[in-house]
C-alpha cells in the first residue's frame, strides 16, 4: 500500500515545507509589488485638487452646495473630484475622474442606498434632434418626495455615455480617453408629474 510519504513527499506538513511555502509566497508578493511599482499603468492616488466649476448651468447662474457628511466621506475616497451646484430649482452633481474606476457608479445605486424607490428608468435624448446624445433618467421616490434624475458621462473628446458600465469598459480598454465628467441633474417633481 502506498503512503502519502511515498507518493507526494512534498505535501507533508513539515516545518521545512511550511518555511519553504511561506518563503515562496513572500517572494511572489514582493515580485508583484515591485512589478506594480514600476508599471506605467499604475493608478494615481485620489486627486482632491480644485476643479473649475461652471458659473452657469443651462443658461442659469449656479452656486456651489456643501456636501453632507456621508457625501464628504465618499468624496475623500473617490479617485477624482465631486462638486454639487444649484440654480435654485435643480441640483447638479459633477464627478470628475482621470482613470477608469468602479467608484463612478450609477446615480440609481446611490438613491437606492439611501432608501429611494427607482421607477421608470430609461434612456432619453438630451435635445429634440435625432442625433442628440442620450442620458439615463429615472424617478426616485421616498415618502412624499419625488425626484427626476438624469445622468451621463462625457470624455475628453465629447463622446458621451448614458451607462456607467459601458463607459467603464470603453475607458478601461482605451476606447474612451479621459479625463471624464459624470453629470447628474436632479430636480423635485410636483405631485402628479413624472
Amino acid at each position: 500500500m502506498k503512503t502519502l510519504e511515498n507518493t507526494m513527499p512534498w505535501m507533508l506538513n513539515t516545518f521545512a515545507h511550511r518555511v519553504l511555502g511561506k518563503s515562496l509566497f513572500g517572494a511572489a508578493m514582493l515580485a508583484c509589488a515591485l512589478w506594480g511599482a514600476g508599471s506605467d499603468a499604475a493608478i494615481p492616488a485620489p486627486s482632491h485638487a480644485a476643479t473649475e466649476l461652471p458659473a452657469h448651468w443651462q443658461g442659469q447662474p449656479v452656486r456651489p452646495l456643501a456636501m453632507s457628511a456621508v457625501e464628504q466621506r465618499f468624496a475623500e475616497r473617490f479617485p477624482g473630484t465631486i462638486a454639487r451646484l444649484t440654480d435654485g430649482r435643480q441640483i447638479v452633481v459633477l464627478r470628475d475622474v482621470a482613470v477608469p474606476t468602479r467608484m463612478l457608479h450609477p446615480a440609481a445605486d446611490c438613491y437606492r442606498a439611501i432608501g429611494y424607490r427607482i421607477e421608470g428608468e430609461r434612456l432619453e435624448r438630451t435635445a429634440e434632434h435625432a442625433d442628440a446624445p442620450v442620458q439615463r433618467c429615472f424617478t426616485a421616490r421616498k415618502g412624499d418626495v419625488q425626484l427626476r434624475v438624469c445622468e451621463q458621462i462625457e470624455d475628453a473628446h465629447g463622446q458621451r455615455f448614458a451607462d456607467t458600465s459601458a463607459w467603464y469598459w470603453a475607458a478601461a480598454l482605451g476606447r474612451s480617453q479621459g479625463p471624464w465628467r459624470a453629470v447628474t441633474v436632479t430636480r423635485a417633481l410636483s405631485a402628479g408629474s413624472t
Side-chain angles (χ1 to χ4, degrees):
M1 179 171 189
K2 291 186 176 183
T3 63
L4 186 60
E5 294 93 16
N6 294 336
T7 59
M8 295 185 278
W10 52 272
M11 289 288 292
L12 292 175
N13 187 15
T14 65
F15 177 75
H17 287 145
R18 288 192 305 270
V19 169
L20 178 62
K22 289 178 182 179
S23 297
L24 290 173
F25 180 75
M29 292 294 99
L30 180 60
C32 288
L34 292 174
W35 177 75
S39 172
D40 289 338
I43 296 174
S47 168
H48 299 291
T51 301
E52 185 174 346
L53 300 176
H56 291 82
W57 190 263
Q58 296 174 340
Q60 298 296 317
V62 291
R63 62 180 168 77
L65 288 173
M67 285 192 251
S68 71
V70 171
E71 291 169 326
Q72 188 60 44
R73 281 194 304 273
F74 180 79
E76 288 168 359
R77 295 186 333 265
F78 188 72
T81 60
I82 302 174
R84 295 177 72 231
L85 308 166
T86 187
D87 63 4
R89 62 183 181 85
Q90 60 190 2
I91 295 174
V92 179
V93 177
L94 305 175
R95 297 176 287 167
D96 294 334
V97 294
V99 296
T101 176
R102 286 295 191 183
M103 289 186 75
L104 185 62
H105 53 268
D109 291 355
C110 295
Y111 280 94
R112 278 189 195 99
I114 56 175
Y116 282 85
R117 186 175 71 244
I118 304 304
E119 299 174 349
E121 195 168 358
R122 63 190 168 277
L123 297 178
E124 296 180 3
R125 297 230 175 256
T126 58
E128 296 300 320
H129 58 89
D131 294 336
V134 295
Q135 60 187 352
R136 182 168 304 277
C137 297
F138 59 88
T139 301
R141 297 181 194 273
K142 182 178 180 182
D144 293 338
V145 176
Q146 298 179 68
L147 304 172
R148 167 97 166 136
V149 182
C150 293
E151 67 181 334
Q152 65 181 323
I153 302 168
E154 185 172 352
D155 72 10
H157 301 292
Q159 182 179 6
R160 294 186 184 174
F161 300 87
D163 180 74
T164 54
S165 185
W167 161 78
Y168 175 81
W169 288 109
L173 297 173
R175 293 192 299 253
S176 174
Q177 302 303 309
W180 298 271
R181 173 170 276 179
V183 177
T184 305
V185 179
T186 303
R187 64 179 169 84
L189 292 175
S190 58
S193 65
T194 53

